[in-house]
Amino acid sequence: MKPIHKSAKLNNVLYDVRGPIVDAAKQMEDEGQKIIKLNIGNMAPFGFDAPEEIQQDMIRNLPNSAGYSDSKGIFAARKAVMHYTQQLGIEGVTLDDIYLGNGASELICMATNALLNDGDELLVPTPDYPLWTAATSLSGGSPVHYRCDEDAGWLPDLQDMRAKITPRTRGIVVINPNNPTGVLYPVELLQGIVQIARENNLVLMVDEVYDKVLYDGVRFTSMASLCTDVLTLTFNSLSKAYRSCGYRAGWMVVSGPKQDARDYIEGLNMLANLKLGSNVPGQWAIQTALGGYQSINDLVKEGGRLRRQRDLAYELITQIPGVTCVKPQAALYMFPRLDPEVYPIADDRQFFMEVLRATRVMLVQGSGFNYPDNQHFRIVFLPHEDDLREAVARLAGFLAAYRQRHAKAA
């Protein structure tokens, strides 16, 4: 039999958040080694439990969950999302503008599939959450990466964004609060991106999954609340703020001049119908989550567990010689930089594979987020403080040995 090859559409797809380093870590675990996992924002393994009232509502509604729901989702959940958009100041959203999905990820793929023809371009940030680049490629489009500037606190470079618009550009992806950098975008910057989309008749696709995971009293502004004349798709889910990654409960909200996007919306409806509907038990959690006690506030306030671990991880990582980092204002991550004068790295995937094998600490290299150097990595600060201290101490020891080898070679 001839070899069976994967689709050529996968040639430009990258998802190293779960990639070769993860595969190597699994093999090490199978051999009995204990791995400290700083690679993925999966909250449950670190003791971040979903609110009990969410769990109870899902349990009570299981007898009503055996059949398909409406392809856009159950009424109560969509109504709750509609009320949430009103709280955020997003105008003109009706039930018909809300789609529920198996996490925001499924809806991101659906939205790009409905929008992009072969060769169309979508502006995506670098660094990015790699699903966005992958979904663009799988939809037949070309991801074009606009620069987020580390020297400006990882804020998008609007001039670079403008320079990369071509006649094939269909939309702009914005990840705010940002994964992997942990940065929250100010209103003035969001307004600047809206203006670029307005001038070029582009769709805004806005990933706001971390909108409640905020530190130091910063305030979040939903991008769709800043405009009614630019078609905006807003994505969110229960995964992070409600510690419910496995419930696969996400939503997409369409706002702006919907009358000008009737054909696109027809495509979204067609794809929603094709998938029949999303996980029904998870949908029952949405109304309770959005309308109930917001326990995430206890975790991110001063003295809260996420806030303490953010502060500790930042303090420890920036004490390592040759390592700098923009302090995250939001989300669950930071994106440190290794000084290339101190740590010359030719292949960051290979480098962090060596880190894993030497330290049993799993991290994701910067190129896994489509960032074009070998000097960055993402650290997840979800583990308990003792594990964080141990993990960073092991990394610091590895980097000290690396510095010493480089100094001798020089």
Side-chain angles (χ1 to χ4, degrees), residues 25-40:
K26 185 178 186 304
Q27 182 179 348
M28 292 168 69
E29 285 183 316
D30 291 343
E31 295 167 355
Q33 301 183 58
K34 182 182 177 184
I35 307 298
I36 301 178
K37 298 177 181 177
L38 305 182
N39 66 307
I40 194 167

Side-chain angles (χ1 to χ4, degrees), residues 306-328:
L306 280 175
R307 169 78 174 270
R308 292 197 315 271
Q309 291 175 194
R310 189 269 321 239
D311 291 344
L312 176 65
Y314 177 76
E315 176 187 349
L316 294 174
I317 207 75
T318 54
Q319 286 176 354
I320 301 173
V323 180
T324 55
C325 185
V326 174
K327 191 172 187 179

Side-chain angles (χ1 to χ4, degrees), residues 25 53 62 65 76 95 173 179 188 202 208 232 244 308 365 393:
E53 62 178 339
L62 273 177
S65 302
L95 278 178
V173 173
N179 174 12
E188 297 77 13
L202 302 178
E208 296 183 346
T232 305
S244 302
R308 292 197 315 271
Q365 74 281 4

Side-chain angles (χ1 to χ4, degrees), residues 121-124 144 146-147 155-167 169-174 185 187-205 223 226-227 229-232:
E121 296 171 353
L122 195 61
L123 295 185
V124 180
V144 176
Y146 65 84
R147 187 170 73 101
L155 297 181
D157 182 335
L158 298 187
Q159 187 173 349
D160 186 62
M161 189 182 289
R162 284 184 184 277
K164 287 178 174 168
I165 294 172
T166 75
T169 308
R170 300 295 306 281
I172 304 173
V173 173
V174 180
Y185 295 166
V187 174
E188 297 77 13
L189 176 78
L190 296 176
Q191 289 170 330
I193 299 173
V194 167
Q195 183 60 27
I196 292 173
R198 178 181 290 126
E199 292 171 2
N200 294 278
N201 195 33
L202 302 178
V203 177
L204 289 170
M205 294 187 169
M223 199 162 187
L226 301 175
C227 58
D229 61 334
V230 175
L231 189 75
T232 305

Side-chain angles (χ1 to χ4, degrees), residues 18-206:
R18 297 177 186 261
I21 292 177
V22 177
D23 295 339
K26 185 178 186 304
Q27 182 179 348
M28 292 168 69
E29 285 183 316
D30 291 343
E31 295 167 355
Q33 301 183 58
K34 182 182 177 184
I35 307 298
I36 301 178
K37 298 177 181 177
L38 305 182
N39 66 307
I40 194 167
N42 188 19
M43 305 188 76
F46 302 106
F48 290 96
D49 297 326
E52 187 174 347
E53 62 178 339
I54 292 178
Q55 300 178 42
Q56 291 300 322
D57 262 25
M58 289 178 64
I59 291 168
R60 290 191 187 98
N61 283 288
L62 273 177
N64 305 318
S65 302
Y68 295 126
S69 72
D70 181 281
S71 62
K72 289 186 177 181
I74 62 175
F75 173 84
R78 290 163 67 206
K79 189 80 168 179
V81 172
M82 188 180 81
H83 288 157
Y84 185 52
T85 66
Q86 293 167 357
Q87 294 171 29
L88 293 171
I90 304 171
E91 296 182 16
V93 174
T94 70
L95 278 178
D96 281 341
D97 304 322
I98 295 164
Y99 300 75
L100 305 187
N102 293 306
S105 302
E106 179 183 55
L107 296 164
I108 287 168
C109 293
M110 190 175 91
T112 52
N113 264 313
L115 180 68
L116 299 174
N117 291 310
D118 288 350
D120 282 351
E121 296 171 353
L122 195 61
L123 295 185
V124 180
T126 178
D128 73 338
Y129 176 56
L131 173 67
W132 279 104
T133 295
T136 303
S137 296
L138 287 171
S139 299
S142 298
V144 176
H145 291 100
Y146 65 84
R147 187 170 73 101
C148 295
D149 185 356
E150 186 171 17
D151 292 336
W154 287 120
L155 297 181
D157 182 335
L158 298 187
Q159 187 173 349
D160 186 62
M161 189 182 289
R162 284 184 184 277
K164 287 178 174 168
I165 294 172
T166 75
R168 301 304 301 267
T169 308
R170 300 295 306 281
I172 304 173
V173 173
V174 180
I175 305 173
N176 178 48
N178 190 262
N179 174 12
T181 64
V183 170
L184 180 73
Y185 295 166
V187 174
E188 297 77 13
L189 176 78
L190 296 176
Q191 289 170 330
I193 299 173
V194 167
Q195 183 60 27
I196 292 173
R198 178 181 290 126
E199 292 171 2
N200 294 278
N201 195 33
L202 302 178
V203 177
L204 289 170
M205 294 187 169
V206 190

